[in-house]
Short mmCIF file of all heavy atoms in Angstrom, two decimals:
data_model
loop_
_atom_site.label_atom_id
_atom_site.label_comp_id
_atom_site.label_asym_id
_atom_site.label_seq_id
_atom_site.Cartn_x
_atom_site.Cartn_y
_atom_site.Cartn_z
N MET A 93 29.34 -29.51 -62.37
CA MET A 93 28.70 -30.61 -63.05
C MET A 93 27.32 -30.90 -62.45
O MET A 93 26.37 -31.13 -63.18
CB MET A 93 29.59 -31.84 -62.97
CG MET A 93 29.00 -33.01 -63.70
SD MET A 93 30.24 -34.27 -63.92
CE MET A 93 29.30 -35.68 -63.47
N ILE A 94 27.22 -30.90 -61.15
CA ILE A 94 25.91 -31.17 -60.52
C ILE A 94 24.92 -30.05 -60.82
O ILE A 94 23.72 -30.30 -60.90
CB ILE A 94 26.06 -31.42 -59.00
CG1 ILE A 94 24.81 -32.11 -58.48
CG2 ILE A 94 26.32 -30.14 -58.24
CD1 ILE A 94 25.01 -32.82 -57.18
N ASP A 95 25.41 -28.82 -61.07
CA ASP A 95 24.53 -27.72 -61.46
C ASP A 95 23.82 -28.05 -62.77
O ASP A 95 22.63 -27.76 -62.92
CB ASP A 95 25.33 -26.42 -61.64
CG ASP A 95 25.98 -25.95 -60.37
OD1 ASP A 95 25.66 -26.52 -59.30
OD2 ASP A 95 26.80 -25.04 -60.43
N ALA A 96 24.54 -28.65 -63.71
CA ALA A 96 23.95 -29.01 -65.00
C ALA A 96 22.85 -30.07 -64.82
O ALA A 96 21.83 -30.02 -65.50
CB ALA A 96 25.02 -29.52 -65.94
N LEU A 97 23.06 -30.99 -63.91
CA LEU A 97 22.07 -32.04 -63.65
C LEU A 97 20.78 -31.47 -63.09
O LEU A 97 19.69 -31.84 -63.48
CB LEU A 97 22.66 -33.07 -62.70
CG LEU A 97 21.75 -34.22 -62.29
CD1 LEU A 97 21.38 -35.07 -63.50
CD2 LEU A 97 22.45 -35.08 -61.25
N PHE A 98 20.90 -30.51 -62.16
CA PHE A 98 19.73 -29.96 -61.50
C PHE A 98 19.24 -28.65 -62.09
O PHE A 98 18.22 -28.13 -61.66
CB PHE A 98 20.01 -29.77 -60.00
CG PHE A 98 20.01 -31.06 -59.25
CD1 PHE A 98 21.20 -31.64 -58.87
CD2 PHE A 98 18.83 -31.69 -58.93
CE1 PHE A 98 21.21 -32.84 -58.19
CE2 PHE A 98 18.83 -32.89 -58.24
CZ PHE A 98 20.02 -33.46 -57.86
N GLY A 99 19.96 -28.08 -63.03
CA GLY A 99 19.46 -26.88 -63.71
C GLY A 99 19.96 -25.56 -63.17
O GLY A 99 20.01 -24.60 -63.90
N SER A 100 20.30 -25.48 -61.90
CA SER A 100 20.81 -24.22 -61.37
C SER A 100 21.57 -24.45 -60.07
O SER A 100 21.25 -25.36 -59.30
CB SER A 100 19.68 -23.23 -61.13
OG SER A 100 19.14 -23.30 -59.85
N LYS A 101 22.57 -23.61 -59.85
CA LYS A 101 23.36 -23.75 -58.63
C LYS A 101 22.54 -23.36 -57.41
O LYS A 101 22.73 -23.90 -56.33
CB LYS A 101 24.65 -22.93 -58.71
CG LYS A 101 24.46 -21.45 -58.76
CD LYS A 101 25.77 -20.72 -58.80
CE LYS A 101 25.51 -19.22 -58.84
NZ LYS A 101 26.70 -18.44 -58.73
N THR A 102 21.58 -22.43 -57.59
CA THR A 102 20.72 -22.05 -56.47
C THR A 102 19.88 -23.24 -56.02
O THR A 102 19.74 -23.50 -54.83
CB THR A 102 19.82 -20.87 -56.87
OG1 THR A 102 20.63 -19.78 -57.29
CG2 THR A 102 18.93 -20.43 -55.71
N ARG A 103 19.35 -23.98 -56.97
CA ARG A 103 18.53 -25.15 -56.64
C ARG A 103 19.36 -26.19 -55.91
O ARG A 103 18.91 -26.80 -54.93
CB ARG A 103 17.92 -25.75 -57.89
CG ARG A 103 16.90 -26.83 -57.58
CD ARG A 103 16.23 -27.37 -58.80
NE ARG A 103 15.67 -26.29 -59.58
CZ ARG A 103 15.29 -26.41 -60.86
NH1 ARG A 103 15.41 -27.56 -61.48
NH2 ARG A 103 14.79 -25.38 -61.50
N VAL A 104 20.59 -26.40 -56.35
CA VAL A 104 21.47 -27.37 -55.70
C VAL A 104 21.74 -26.95 -54.26
O VAL A 104 21.68 -27.77 -53.33
CB VAL A 104 22.80 -27.51 -56.49
CG1 VAL A 104 23.82 -28.32 -55.71
CG2 VAL A 104 22.54 -28.13 -57.85
N LYS A 105 22.03 -25.66 -54.05
CA LYS A 105 22.28 -25.17 -52.70
C LYS A 105 21.04 -25.28 -51.82
O LYS A 105 21.14 -25.64 -50.64
CB LYS A 105 22.76 -23.71 -52.75
CG LYS A 105 24.15 -23.55 -53.30
CD LYS A 105 24.53 -22.08 -53.33
CE LYS A 105 25.91 -21.84 -53.84
NZ LYS A 105 26.26 -20.40 -53.81
N LEU A 106 19.87 -24.98 -52.39
CA LEU A 106 18.63 -25.11 -51.62
C LEU A 106 18.38 -26.55 -51.22
O LEU A 106 18.02 -26.84 -50.07
CB LEU A 106 17.44 -24.59 -52.43
CG LEU A 106 17.27 -23.09 -52.52
CD1 LEU A 106 16.22 -22.73 -53.56
CD2 LEU A 106 16.90 -22.52 -51.17
N LEU A 107 18.54 -27.46 -52.16
CA LEU A 107 18.34 -28.88 -51.84
C LEU A 107 19.30 -29.33 -50.75
O LEU A 107 18.90 -30.07 -49.84
CB LEU A 107 18.52 -29.73 -53.11
CG LEU A 107 17.39 -29.65 -54.12
CD1 LEU A 107 17.78 -30.34 -55.42
CD2 LEU A 107 16.10 -30.23 -53.55
N GLY A 108 20.54 -28.89 -50.82
CA GLY A 108 21.51 -29.23 -49.78
C GLY A 108 21.09 -28.71 -48.43
O GLY A 108 21.16 -29.41 -47.42
N LEU A 109 20.64 -27.46 -48.40
CA LEU A 109 20.20 -26.85 -47.13
C LEU A 109 19.03 -27.61 -46.53
O LEU A 109 19.05 -27.96 -45.35
CB LEU A 109 19.81 -25.38 -47.37
CG LEU A 109 19.29 -24.63 -46.16
CD1 LEU A 109 20.39 -24.42 -45.12
CD2 LEU A 109 18.71 -23.28 -46.59
N PHE A 110 18.02 -27.89 -47.34
CA PHE A 110 16.82 -28.56 -46.82
C PHE A 110 17.06 -30.03 -46.49
O PHE A 110 16.53 -30.53 -45.50
CB PHE A 110 15.65 -28.42 -47.80
CG PHE A 110 15.08 -27.03 -47.83
CD1 PHE A 110 15.20 -26.24 -48.95
CD2 PHE A 110 14.42 -26.51 -46.72
CE1 PHE A 110 14.67 -24.95 -48.98
CE2 PHE A 110 13.91 -25.23 -46.74
CZ PHE A 110 14.03 -24.45 -47.87
N MET A 111 17.85 -30.72 -47.29
CA MET A 111 18.09 -32.14 -47.04
C MET A 111 19.02 -32.36 -45.83
O MET A 111 18.92 -33.37 -45.16
CB MET A 111 18.66 -32.83 -48.27
CG MET A 111 17.72 -32.84 -49.45
SD MET A 111 16.09 -33.53 -49.07
CE MET A 111 15.01 -32.31 -49.77
N ASN A 112 19.88 -31.40 -45.56
CA ASN A 112 20.75 -31.51 -44.39
C ASN A 112 20.08 -31.03 -43.11
O ASN A 112 20.62 -31.25 -42.02
CB ASN A 112 22.05 -30.73 -44.62
CG ASN A 112 22.95 -31.40 -45.61
OD1 ASN A 112 23.08 -32.62 -45.61
ND2 ASN A 112 23.57 -30.62 -46.49
N ASN A 113 18.93 -30.39 -43.23
CA ASN A 113 18.17 -29.88 -42.08
C ASN A 113 16.69 -30.19 -42.27
O ASN A 113 15.86 -29.28 -42.34
CB ASN A 113 18.36 -28.35 -41.96
CG ASN A 113 19.80 -27.96 -41.82
OD1 ASN A 113 20.38 -28.09 -40.76
ND2 ASN A 113 20.39 -27.48 -42.90
N PRO A 114 16.30 -31.46 -42.36
CA PRO A 114 14.92 -31.80 -42.73
C PRO A 114 13.85 -31.35 -41.74
O PRO A 114 12.72 -31.10 -42.14
CB PRO A 114 14.95 -33.32 -42.86
CG PRO A 114 16.12 -33.76 -42.06
CD PRO A 114 17.13 -32.64 -42.12
N GLU A 115 14.18 -31.23 -40.47
CA GLU A 115 13.17 -30.83 -39.50
C GLU A 115 13.10 -29.32 -39.29
O GLU A 115 12.21 -28.84 -38.60
CB GLU A 115 13.43 -31.49 -38.13
CG GLU A 115 13.08 -32.96 -38.08
CD GLU A 115 14.26 -33.85 -38.39
OE1 GLU A 115 15.41 -33.43 -38.11
OE2 GLU A 115 14.06 -34.95 -38.92
N ARG A 116 14.02 -28.60 -39.87
CA ARG A 116 14.12 -27.16 -39.61
C ARG A 116 13.36 -26.35 -40.65
O ARG A 116 13.33 -26.69 -41.82
CB ARG A 116 15.60 -26.76 -39.63
CG ARG A 116 15.81 -25.32 -39.35
CD ARG A 116 17.04 -25.06 -38.52
NE ARG A 116 17.09 -23.63 -38.30
CZ ARG A 116 18.01 -22.83 -38.81
NH1 ARG A 116 18.99 -23.32 -39.52
NH2 ARG A 116 17.96 -21.54 -38.57
N GLU A 117 12.73 -25.27 -40.20
CA GLU A 117 12.07 -24.33 -41.09
C GLU A 117 12.97 -23.10 -41.27
O GLU A 117 13.65 -22.68 -40.34
CB GLU A 117 10.73 -23.86 -40.49
CG GLU A 117 9.69 -24.93 -40.43
CD GLU A 117 8.38 -24.41 -39.89
OE1 GLU A 117 8.41 -23.64 -38.91
OE2 GLU A 117 7.34 -24.76 -40.45
N PHE A 118 12.94 -22.54 -42.47
CA PHE A 118 13.72 -21.36 -42.80
C PHE A 118 12.82 -20.32 -43.46
O PHE A 118 11.89 -20.66 -44.18
CB PHE A 118 14.83 -21.69 -43.82
CG PHE A 118 15.82 -22.70 -43.35
CD1 PHE A 118 15.65 -24.05 -43.61
CD2 PHE A 118 16.96 -22.30 -42.68
CE1 PHE A 118 16.57 -24.99 -43.20
CE2 PHE A 118 17.90 -23.23 -42.25
CZ PHE A 118 17.70 -24.57 -42.52
N TYR A 119 13.11 -19.05 -43.23
CA TYR A 119 12.42 -17.99 -43.97
C TYR A 119 13.38 -17.47 -45.04
O TYR A 119 14.58 -17.74 -45.01
CB TYR A 119 11.89 -16.89 -43.06
CG TYR A 119 12.91 -16.19 -42.21
CD1 TYR A 119 13.50 -14.99 -42.65
CD2 TYR A 119 13.31 -16.71 -40.98
CE1 TYR A 119 14.43 -14.34 -41.87
CE2 TYR A 119 14.25 -16.06 -40.19
CZ TYR A 119 14.80 -14.89 -40.65
OH TYR A 119 15.74 -14.25 -39.88
N VAL A 120 12.85 -16.75 -46.03
CA VAL A 120 13.61 -16.41 -47.23
C VAL A 120 14.93 -15.70 -46.94
O VAL A 120 15.97 -16.07 -47.49
CB VAL A 120 12.76 -15.55 -48.20
CG1 VAL A 120 13.59 -15.10 -49.39
CG2 VAL A 120 11.57 -16.33 -48.70
N ARG A 121 14.92 -14.68 -46.11
CA ARG A 121 16.16 -13.94 -45.83
C ARG A 121 17.21 -14.83 -45.17
O ARG A 121 18.39 -14.73 -45.46
CB ARG A 121 15.89 -12.73 -44.95
CG ARG A 121 15.00 -11.71 -45.57
CD ARG A 121 15.79 -10.78 -46.43
NE ARG A 121 14.91 -9.76 -46.97
CZ ARG A 121 15.18 -9.06 -48.03
NH1 ARG A 121 16.31 -9.26 -48.67
NH2 ARG A 121 14.34 -8.16 -48.48
N GLU A 122 16.75 -15.72 -44.33
CA GLU A 122 17.66 -16.66 -43.67
C GLU A 122 18.27 -17.61 -44.71
O GLU A 122 19.47 -17.92 -44.67
CB GLU A 122 16.86 -17.45 -42.63
CG GLU A 122 17.63 -18.41 -41.81
CD GLU A 122 16.78 -19.14 -40.79
OE1 GLU A 122 15.52 -19.19 -40.94
OE2 GLU A 122 17.37 -19.67 -39.85
N ILE A 123 17.46 -18.05 -45.65
CA ILE A 123 17.95 -18.93 -46.71
C ILE A 123 19.00 -18.22 -47.55
O ILE A 123 20.06 -18.78 -47.83
CB ILE A 123 16.78 -19.41 -47.60
CG1 ILE A 123 15.85 -20.33 -46.79
CG2 ILE A 123 17.31 -20.14 -48.83
CD1 ILE A 123 14.54 -20.64 -47.49
N THR A 124 18.72 -16.97 -47.94
CA THR A 124 19.67 -16.24 -48.78
C THR A 124 21.01 -16.05 -48.07
O THR A 124 22.06 -16.13 -48.71
CB THR A 124 19.12 -14.87 -49.23
OG1 THR A 124 18.82 -14.07 -48.09
CG2 THR A 124 17.89 -15.03 -50.08
N ARG A 125 20.97 -15.84 -46.78
CA ARG A 125 22.22 -15.72 -46.01
C ARG A 125 22.96 -17.06 -45.93
O ARG A 125 24.18 -17.12 -46.05
CB ARG A 125 21.95 -15.19 -44.61
CG ARG A 125 21.68 -13.72 -44.55
CD ARG A 125 21.69 -13.19 -43.12
NE ARG A 125 20.75 -13.85 -42.25
CZ ARG A 125 19.51 -13.42 -42.01
NH1 ARG A 125 19.06 -12.34 -42.58
NH2 ARG A 125 18.73 -14.08 -41.18
N ASN A 126 22.21 -18.12 -45.73
CA ASN A 126 22.82 -19.45 -45.59
C ASN A 126 23.47 -19.96 -46.88
O ASN A 126 24.52 -20.60 -46.82
CB ASN A 126 21.78 -20.48 -45.12
CG ASN A 126 21.63 -20.51 -43.63
OD1 ASN A 126 22.58 -20.74 -42.91
ND2 ASN A 126 20.41 -20.27 -43.16
N ILE A 127 22.84 -19.70 -48.01
CA ILE A 127 23.38 -20.24 -49.26
C ILE A 127 24.08 -19.18 -50.11
O ILE A 127 24.61 -19.51 -51.18
CB ILE A 127 22.29 -20.97 -50.08
CG1 ILE A 127 21.23 -20.01 -50.60
CG2 ILE A 127 21.69 -22.10 -49.28
CD1 ILE A 127 20.29 -20.63 -51.62
N ASP A 128 24.08 -17.93 -49.66
CA ASP A 128 24.77 -16.84 -50.34
C ASP A 128 24.34 -16.69 -51.80
O ASP A 128 25.15 -16.72 -52.72
CB ASP A 128 26.29 -17.04 -50.25
CG ASP A 128 27.05 -15.77 -50.64
OD1 ASP A 128 26.52 -14.67 -50.39
OD2 ASP A 128 28.16 -15.89 -51.19
N GLU A 129 23.03 -16.56 -52.00
CA GLU A 129 22.45 -16.34 -53.32
C GLU A 129 21.48 -15.17 -53.27
O GLU A 129 21.04 -14.77 -52.20
CB GLU A 129 21.71 -17.60 -53.80
CG GLU A 129 22.60 -18.76 -54.13
CD GLU A 129 23.47 -18.53 -55.35
OE1 GLU A 129 23.10 -17.74 -56.24
OE2 GLU A 129 24.56 -19.13 -55.41
N GLN A 130 21.16 -14.63 -54.44
CA GLN A 130 20.26 -13.49 -54.55
C GLN A 130 18.83 -13.92 -54.22
O GLN A 130 18.40 -15.02 -54.55
CB GLN A 130 20.30 -12.92 -55.97
CG GLN A 130 21.65 -12.37 -56.35
CD GLN A 130 22.01 -11.15 -55.51
OE1 GLN A 130 21.17 -10.28 -55.28
NE2 GLN A 130 23.24 -11.10 -55.06
N ILE A 131 18.09 -13.00 -53.61
CA ILE A 131 16.73 -13.31 -53.14
C ILE A 131 15.79 -13.68 -54.29
O ILE A 131 14.95 -14.57 -54.14
CB ILE A 131 16.17 -12.17 -52.27
CG1 ILE A 131 14.93 -12.64 -51.53
CG2 ILE A 131 15.91 -10.92 -53.11
CD1 ILE A 131 14.54 -11.77 -50.37
N ASN A 132 15.93 -13.03 -55.45
CA ASN A 132 15.04 -13.35 -56.56
C ASN A 132 15.23 -14.76 -57.07
O ASN A 132 14.26 -15.47 -57.36
CB ASN A 132 15.22 -12.34 -57.70
CG ASN A 132 14.68 -10.98 -57.34
OD1 ASN A 132 13.81 -10.84 -56.48
ND2 ASN A 132 15.20 -9.96 -57.99
N SER A 133 16.48 -15.20 -57.18
CA SER A 133 16.72 -16.58 -57.63
C SER A 133 16.28 -17.58 -56.57
O SER A 133 15.76 -18.66 -56.91
CB SER A 133 18.18 -16.79 -58.02
OG SER A 133 19.03 -16.61 -56.93
N VAL A 134 16.44 -17.24 -55.30
CA VAL A 134 15.98 -18.12 -54.23
C VAL A 134 14.46 -18.26 -54.28
O VAL A 134 13.92 -19.37 -54.22
CB VAL A 134 16.44 -17.61 -52.85
CG1 VAL A 134 15.74 -18.36 -51.73
CG2 VAL A 134 17.95 -17.73 -52.71
N ARG A 135 13.75 -17.16 -54.43
CA ARG A 135 12.29 -17.21 -54.51
C ARG A 135 11.81 -18.02 -55.70
O ARG A 135 10.87 -18.80 -55.60
CB ARG A 135 11.71 -15.80 -54.57
CG ARG A 135 11.72 -15.10 -53.25
CD ARG A 135 10.94 -13.81 -53.32
NE ARG A 135 10.81 -13.24 -51.98
CZ ARG A 135 10.99 -11.99 -51.70
NH1 ARG A 135 11.31 -11.11 -52.64
NH2 ARG A 135 10.85 -11.54 -50.47
N ARG A 136 12.47 -17.84 -56.83
CA ARG A 136 12.09 -18.58 -58.04
C ARG A 136 12.28 -20.08 -57.83
O ARG A 136 11.40 -20.88 -58.13
CB ARG A 136 12.93 -18.09 -59.22
CG ARG A 136 12.61 -18.75 -60.53
CD ARG A 136 13.38 -18.19 -61.73
NE ARG A 136 14.80 -18.00 -61.48
CZ ARG A 136 15.39 -16.79 -61.31
NH1 ARG A 136 14.68 -15.70 -61.35
NH2 ARG A 136 16.69 -16.72 -61.09
N GLU A 137 13.42 -20.46 -57.27
CA GLU A 137 13.68 -21.89 -57.05
C GLU A 137 12.81 -22.48 -55.94
O GLU A 137 12.42 -23.65 -56.02
CB GLU A 137 15.16 -22.14 -56.78
CG GLU A 137 16.05 -21.88 -57.97
CD GLU A 137 15.70 -22.72 -59.19
OE1 GLU A 137 15.08 -23.81 -59.06
OE2 GLU A 137 16.04 -22.29 -60.30
N LEU A 138 12.50 -21.69 -54.92
CA LEU A 138 11.57 -22.17 -53.89
C LEU A 138 10.21 -22.48 -54.51
O LEU A 138 9.60 -23.51 -54.21
CB LEU A 138 11.41 -21.13 -52.77
CG LEU A 138 12.58 -20.99 -51.81
CD1 LEU A 138 12.39 -19.78 -50.91
CD2 LEU A 138 12.76 -22.26 -50.97
N ALA A 139 9.73 -21.60 -55.38
CA ALA A 139 8.46 -21.84 -56.07
C ALA A 139 8.52 -23.13 -56.89
O ALA A 139 7.57 -23.92 -56.89
CB ALA A 139 8.10 -20.65 -56.95
N ASN A 140 9.63 -23.35 -57.58
CA ASN A 140 9.80 -24.59 -58.37
C ASN A 140 9.78 -25.81 -57.48
O ASN A 140 9.14 -26.82 -57.80
CB ASN A 140 11.11 -24.55 -59.16
CG ASN A 140 11.08 -23.56 -60.30
OD1 ASN A 140 10.02 -23.21 -60.80
ND2 ASN A 140 12.25 -23.09 -60.69
N LEU A 141 10.49 -25.76 -56.35
CA LEU A 141 10.56 -26.91 -55.45
C LEU A 141 9.23 -27.18 -54.76
O LEU A 141 8.89 -28.34 -54.49
CB LEU A 141 11.69 -26.71 -54.43
CG LEU A 141 13.10 -26.70 -55.02
CD1 LEU A 141 14.12 -26.32 -53.94
CD2 LEU A 141 13.44 -28.04 -55.64
N ILE A 142 8.46 -26.14 -54.49
CA ILE A 142 7.13 -26.32 -53.92
C ILE A 142 6.21 -26.99 -54.95
O ILE A 142 5.46 -27.91 -54.61
CB ILE A 142 6.54 -24.98 -53.45
CG1 ILE A 142 7.25 -24.52 -52.18
CG2 ILE A 142 5.04 -25.09 -53.21
CD1 ILE A 142 6.89 -23.13 -51.74
N LYS A 143 6.32 -26.55 -56.18
CA LYS A 143 5.50 -27.11 -57.26
C LYS A 143 5.79 -28.60 -57.43
O LYS A 143 4.88 -29.41 -57.63
CB LYS A 143 5.78 -26.37 -58.55
CG LYS A 143 4.88 -26.73 -59.70
CD LYS A 143 5.43 -26.12 -60.98
CE LYS A 143 4.54 -25.06 -61.53
NZ LYS A 143 5.01 -24.53 -62.82
N ILE A 144 7.05 -28.98 -57.31
CA ILE A 144 7.46 -30.39 -57.43
C ILE A 144 7.01 -31.17 -56.20
O ILE A 144 6.70 -32.34 -56.28
CB ILE A 144 8.99 -30.48 -57.59
CG1 ILE A 144 9.43 -29.86 -58.91
CG2 ILE A 144 9.46 -31.93 -57.50
CD1 ILE A 144 10.92 -29.63 -59.02
N GLY A 145 6.95 -30.50 -55.05
CA GLY A 145 6.53 -31.16 -53.81
C GLY A 145 7.67 -31.52 -52.87
O GLY A 145 7.44 -32.17 -51.85
N ILE A 146 8.88 -31.10 -53.21
CA ILE A 146 10.04 -31.43 -52.38
C ILE A 146 10.05 -30.64 -51.09
O ILE A 146 10.47 -31.14 -50.04
CB ILE A 146 11.36 -31.18 -53.17
CG1 ILE A 146 11.42 -32.17 -54.33
CG2 ILE A 146 12.58 -31.32 -52.27
CD1 ILE A 146 12.59 -31.93 -55.27
N ILE A 147 9.58 -29.41 -51.15
CA ILE A 147 9.49 -28.60 -49.94
C ILE A 147 8.07 -28.09 -49.77
O ILE A 147 7.26 -28.12 -50.71
CB ILE A 147 10.49 -27.41 -49.93
CG1 ILE A 147 10.18 -26.43 -51.04
CG2 ILE A 147 11.91 -27.88 -49.98
CD1 ILE A 147 10.97 -25.14 -50.93
N LYS A 148 7.76 -27.66 -48.57
CA LYS A 148 6.44 -27.10 -48.27
C LYS A 148 6.64 -25.77 -47.57
O LYS A 148 7.74 -25.48 -47.07
CB LYS A 148 5.63 -28.07 -47.42
CG LYS A 148 6.30 -28.43 -46.10
CD LYS A 148 5.51 -29.50 -45.37
CE LYS A 148 6.22 -29.86 -44.08
NZ LYS A 148 5.51 -30.86 -43.33
N SER A 149 5.59 -24.97 -47.55
CA SER A 149 5.69 -23.67 -46.90
C SER A 149 4.48 -23.46 -46.00
O SER A 149 3.43 -24.09 -46.18
CB SER A 149 5.77 -22.55 -47.93
OG SER A 149 4.56 -22.45 -48.65
N ARG A 150 4.67 -22.57 -45.04
CA ARG A 150 3.55 -22.17 -44.18
C ARG A 150 3.82 -20.74 -43.72
O ARG A 150 4.96 -20.30 -43.61
CB ARG A 150 3.37 -23.11 -42.99
CG ARG A 150 4.42 -23.03 -41.93
CD ARG A 150 4.14 -24.05 -40.82
NE ARG A 150 5.10 -23.88 -39.76
CZ ARG A 150 4.81 -23.39 -38.55
NH1 ARG A 150 3.58 -23.03 -38.26
NH2 ARG A 150 5.74 -23.26 -37.63
N SER A 151 2.74 -20.03 -43.47
CA SER A 151 2.83 -18.63 -43.08
C SER A 151 2.61 -18.49 -41.58
O SER A 151 1.66 -19.05 -41.03
CB SER A 151 1.77 -17.83 -43.84
OG SER A 151 1.85 -16.48 -43.49
N VAL A 152 3.52 -17.75 -40.94
CA VAL A 152 3.41 -17.48 -39.51
C VAL A 152 3.74 -16.00 -39.32
O VAL A 152 4.84 -15.55 -39.65
CB VAL A 152 4.39 -18.34 -38.68
CG1 VAL A 152 4.31 -17.99 -37.20
CG2 VAL A 152 4.16 -19.82 -38.90
N ASP A 153 2.79 -15.26 -38.78
CA ASP A 153 3.01 -13.84 -38.51
C ASP A 153 3.57 -13.07 -39.71
O ASP A 153 4.57 -12.38 -39.62
CB ASP A 153 3.94 -13.64 -37.30
CG ASP A 153 3.36 -14.20 -36.02
OD1 ASP A 153 2.12 -14.22 -35.90
OD2 ASP A 153 4.15 -14.62 -35.16
N ASN A 154 2.90 -13.20 -40.86
CA ASN A 154 3.31 -12.52 -42.10
C ASN A 154 4.70 -12.92 -42.59
O ASN A 154 5.35 -12.15 -43.30
CB ASN A 154 3.25 -11.00 -41.95
CG ASN A 154 1.86 -10.48 -42.18
OD1 ASN A 154 1.01 -11.16 -42.73
ND2 ASN A 154 1.63 -9.25 -41.78
N ARG A 155 5.17 -14.06 -42.22
CA ARG A 155 6.48 -14.54 -42.68
C ARG A 155 6.28 -15.97 -43.19
O ARG A 155 5.69 -16.80 -42.53
CB ARG A 155 7.47 -14.53 -41.53
CG ARG A 155 8.88 -14.86 -41.94
CD ARG A 155 9.81 -14.80 -40.79
NE ARG A 155 10.31 -13.43 -40.65
CZ ARG A 155 11.17 -13.05 -39.73
NH1 ARG A 155 11.61 -13.90 -38.85
NH2 ARG A 155 11.58 -11.81 -39.68
N LEU A 156 6.77 -16.23 -44.40
CA LEU A 156 6.67 -17.56 -44.98
C LEU A 156 7.87 -18.40 -44.55
O LEU A 156 9.01 -17.96 -44.67
CB LEU A 156 6.66 -17.49 -46.50
CG LEU A 156 5.31 -17.46 -47.18
CD1 LEU A 156 5.50 -17.32 -48.69
CD2 LEU A 156 4.48 -18.67 -46.87
N TYR A 157 7.59 -19.58 -44.06
CA TYR A 157 8.63 -20.51 -43.67
C TYR A 157 8.61 -21.71 -44.61
O TYR A 157 7.56 -22.17 -45.03
CB TYR A 157 8.41 -21.00 -42.23
CG TYR A 157 8.74 -19.96 -41.20
CD1 TYR A 157 7.78 -19.07 -40.74
CD2 TYR A 157 10.03 -19.87 -40.67
CE1 TYR A 157 8.10 -18.10 -39.80
CE2 TYR A 157 10.34 -18.91 -39.73
CZ TYR A 157 9.37 -18.03 -39.29
OH TYR A 157 9.70 -17.08 -38.37
N TYR A 158 9.80 -22.19 -44.94
CA TYR A 158 9.97 -23.31 -45.86
C TYR A 158 10.68 -24.45 -45.15
O TYR A 158 11.56 -24.22 -44.33
CB TYR A 158 10.79 -22.87 -47.08
CG TYR A 158 10.15 -21.73 -47.83
CD1 TYR A 158 10.42 -20.42 -47.52
CD2 TYR A 158 9.24 -22.00 -48.86
CE1 TYR A 158 9.83 -19.38 -48.20
CE2 TYR A 158 8.65 -20.95 -49.56
CZ TYR A 158 8.95 -19.65 -49.21
OH TYR A 158 8.35 -18.62 -49.89
N GLN A 159 10.26 -25.67 -45.51
CA GLN A 159 10.83 -26.85 -44.88
C GLN A 159 10.75 -28.00 -45.88
O GLN A 159 9.84 -28.06 -46.72
CB GLN A 159 10.02 -27.20 -43.64
CG GLN A 159 10.51 -28.41 -42.89
CD GLN A 159 9.68 -28.68 -41.64
OE1 GLN A 159 8.58 -28.16 -41.49
NE2 GLN A 159 10.20 -29.49 -40.77
N ALA A 160 11.68 -28.94 -45.76
CA ALA A 160 11.63 -30.15 -46.60
C ALA A 160 10.36 -30.92 -46.26
O ALA A 160 10.00 -31.06 -45.10
CB ALA A 160 12.86 -31.02 -46.34
N ASP A 161 9.66 -31.39 -47.30
CA ASP A 161 8.48 -32.21 -47.08
C ASP A 161 8.95 -33.64 -46.89
O ASP A 161 9.36 -34.31 -47.83
CB ASP A 161 7.54 -32.10 -48.27
CG ASP A 161 6.20 -32.81 -48.03
OD1 ASP A 161 6.12 -33.60 -47.08
OD2 ASP A 161 5.26 -32.58 -48.80
N GLN A 162 8.89 -34.10 -45.67
CA GLN A 162 9.42 -35.43 -45.35
C GLN A 162 8.55 -36.56 -45.87
O GLN A 162 8.95 -37.72 -45.84
CB GLN A 162 9.63 -35.54 -43.84
CG GLN A 162 10.69 -34.57 -43.38
CD GLN A 162 10.96 -34.68 -41.91
OE1 GLN A 162 10.75 -35.71 -41.29
NE2 GLN A 162 11.48 -33.59 -41.33
N ASN A 163 7.35 -36.22 -46.41
CA ASN A 163 6.49 -37.22 -47.02
C ASN A 163 6.72 -37.35 -48.51
O ASN A 163 6.08 -38.16 -49.18
CB ASN A 163 5.03 -36.88 -46.75
CG ASN A 163 4.68 -36.95 -45.29
OD1 ASN A 163 5.14 -37.85 -44.60
ND2 ASN A 163 3.90 -36.01 -44.81
N PHE A 164 7.63 -36.54 -49.06
CA PHE A 164 7.94 -36.61 -50.49
C PHE A 164 8.64 -37.92 -50.81
O PHE A 164 9.56 -38.32 -50.11
CB PHE A 164 8.81 -35.42 -50.91
CG PHE A 164 9.15 -35.38 -52.36
CD1 PHE A 164 8.20 -34.99 -53.28
CD2 PHE A 164 10.39 -35.76 -52.80
CE1 PHE A 164 8.49 -34.96 -54.63
CE2 PHE A 164 10.71 -35.72 -54.16
CZ PHE A 164 9.75 -35.32 -55.07
N LYS A 165 8.17 -38.58 -51.83
CA LYS A 165 8.76 -39.88 -52.20
C LYS A 165 10.01 -39.65 -52.97
O LYS A 165 10.56 -40.06 -53.75
CB LYS A 165 7.77 -40.70 -52.99
CG LYS A 165 6.49 -40.95 -52.26
CD LYS A 165 6.72 -41.89 -51.12
CE LYS A 165 5.39 -42.05 -50.36
NZ LYS A 165 5.50 -42.57 -49.08
#
């Protein structure tokens, strides 16, 4: 039911991961292992969440890290 509200089960799992770990940064492969979803769907939903402003990303040593944006209203 919550999947219908948010549009996808991947998005729900991502939101859970980031909201339960607001200070922690994750890279894509780590996220896919944590939420047990395919990398393409994870990348697509990460792009959506960045566009909305819920999460932010930064690049370190050719690796993108994602974290909940704690300034998001």
